[in-house]
Amino acid sequence: MSYLLDKKIKQKKLLYLLASFFVCLTLFYFRISIWKGLALVSHTIFSPVLVFGNYVGGKFGSVGSFFASKNSLYIENQNLQSKLLEDEARMANYNSLLAENISLKEILGRKNEKIPMVLASILSKPSQSLYDSLTIDAGLQKGLKTGEMVFALGNVPIGRIAEIYPNSAKVILFSNSGEKTQVVVGDKNVFMQIVGRGGGNFEMILPRDFKLAKGDQAVLPGINNYVVGIVETVISDPRDPFVKALLVSPVNVQELKFVEVDISAK
């Protein structure tokens, strides 16, 4: 029994050996076709995987490009906004200089060339003071003196130099509360007195029989008709022998940037 079992085992081993040899011979003989087949099978199996990988990689690449492009656009937008702000600042400065230039041309076009005047910038206005007064940037070094007349827009008298300093001066406006100014009114050139009420306003008391209407002018005495105030309202009471006229200055001091000081009295 043991002999027969060993014989069968040897026969099986021989068959396995022959089968292995036959398989190797077959593979060697048909190696080209088999490898091509395996390559085709591998390509068929893994091709969708590669395509999917390329698709996913492309998508992630596109997402990265999107964020990079968005960041680039943000930086470009910030630069453009900064440039726009710079241009707006330049334009604002240009407009300010243009308005200043036009204002100066208007002043020079209205002034009497025969009267020497000193141009001065306004440093403070009535809104910054308890009184109707201005502070200007011209003083003793420019040859100014107290009492000299101050003009707006080249030909509108608005006040006088009250205090003088080396590089500045204080101007009291004719409209300062309680300030009295001699003027000429009406067709008959009657001398009257206007009193400041503050804020560019005046009042004047005159006899009832003196005819005065809205729009009439109160001018300074002299050859040149310098308008100080314009009649706005006339208030009357039948029981009162006098009437009150309310006047306003021809200019709004709050809008002024420059004034001129008449130095012709020197």
Side-chain angles (χ1 to χ4, degrees):
M1 290 291 293
S2 176
Y3 172 78
L4 293 175
L5 182 61
D6 291 338
K7 187 176 181 179
K8 287 183 179 181
I9 292 173
K10 290 180 179 180
Q11 290 178 349
K12 285 183 178 180
K13 287 182 178 180
L14 181 62
L15 289 175
Y16 288 150
L17 183 62
L18 290 173
S20 298
F21 176 77
F22 179 77
V23 170
C24 290
L25 183 64
T26 302
L27 290 175
F28 177 79
Y29 182 80
F30 297 103
R31 63 186 182 278
I32 297 176
S33 299
I34 291 174
W35 290 120
K36 285 184 178 179
L38 289 174
L40 178 62
V41 171
S42 298
H43 177 76
T44 303
I45 294 173
F46 291 105
S47 178
V49 176
L50 294 174
V51 170
F52 177 73
N54 290 333
Y55 173 78
V56 172
K59 288 297 181 181
F60 279 108
S62 298
V63 171
S65 299
F66 169 76
F67 283 108
S69 176
K70 187 174 182 181
N71 185 58
S72 176
L73 288 174
Y74 173 77
I75 295 173
E76 184 177 352
N77 182 53
Q78 291 295 105
N79 291 335
L80 288 174
Q81 287 184 357
S82 177
K83 183 67 168 56
L84 180 61
L85 290 175
E86 290 178 5
D87 291 341
E88 287 178 351
R90 290 194 187 97
M91 183 58 68
N93 185 54
Y94 169 78
N95 290 336
S96 176
L97 291 175
L98 180 61
E100 186 174 298
N101 182 264
I102 292 173
S103 177
L104 288 172
K105 285 183 177 179
E106 288 180 353
I107 292 172
L108 295 175
R110 292 173 180 172
K111 67 178 288 188
N112 189 338
E113 295 296 338
K114 296 180 181 180
I115 300 177
M117 293 196 179
V118 173
L119 181 68
S121 296
I122 297 175
L123 301 178
S124 67
K125 297 183 178 181
S127 58
Q128 300 168 297
S129 172
L130 294 176
Y131 307 99
D132 268 15
S133 63
L134 304 175
T135 301
I136 59 176
D137 68 349
L140 290 172
Q141 293 189 5
K142 292 289 186 179
L144 272 57
K145 295 180 180 179
T146 57
E148 291 177 331
M149 194 82 68
V150 178
F151 289 80
L153 306 180
N155 61 353
V156 180
I158 59 172
R160 56 181 174 80
I161 301 293
E163 298 176 16
I164 194 80
Y165 307 98
N167 295 300
S168 62
K170 180 179 179 181
V171 178
I172 292 295
L173 302 179
F174 293 137
S175 61
N176 182 47
S177 182
E179 188 75 15
K180 298 178 181 179
T181 306
Q182 193 79 12
V183 295
V184 177
V185 295
D187 297 334
K188 296 181 180 181
N189 294 325
V190 178
F191 284 79
M192 302 292 294
Q193 188 179 73
I194 59 174
V195 181
R197 291 166 52 94
N201 299 298
F202 309 89
E203 67 176 34
M204 180 171 55
I205 305 298
L206 59 155
R208 174 178 294 279
D209 59 354
F210 188 88
K211 301 299 181 181
L212 202 62
K214 181 177 180 179
D216 286 345
Q217 298 177 343
V219 302
L220 291 179
I223 298 175
N224 298 308
N225 294 325
Y226 291 132
V227 180
V228 180
I230 301 173
V231 176
E232 184 70 20
T233 307
V234 178
I235 303 172
S236 63
D237 186 339
R239 299 167 297 179
D240 195 337
F242 296 94
V243 297
K244 179 186 291 185
L246 302 181
L247 303 88
V248 295
S249 174
V251 298
N252 184 354
V253 177
Q254 301 296 341
E255 297 177 354
L256 298 177
K257 297 181 69 175
F258 306 97
V259 294
E260 287 185 298
V261 182
D262 180 3
I263 57 174
S264 61
K266 297 179 182 180

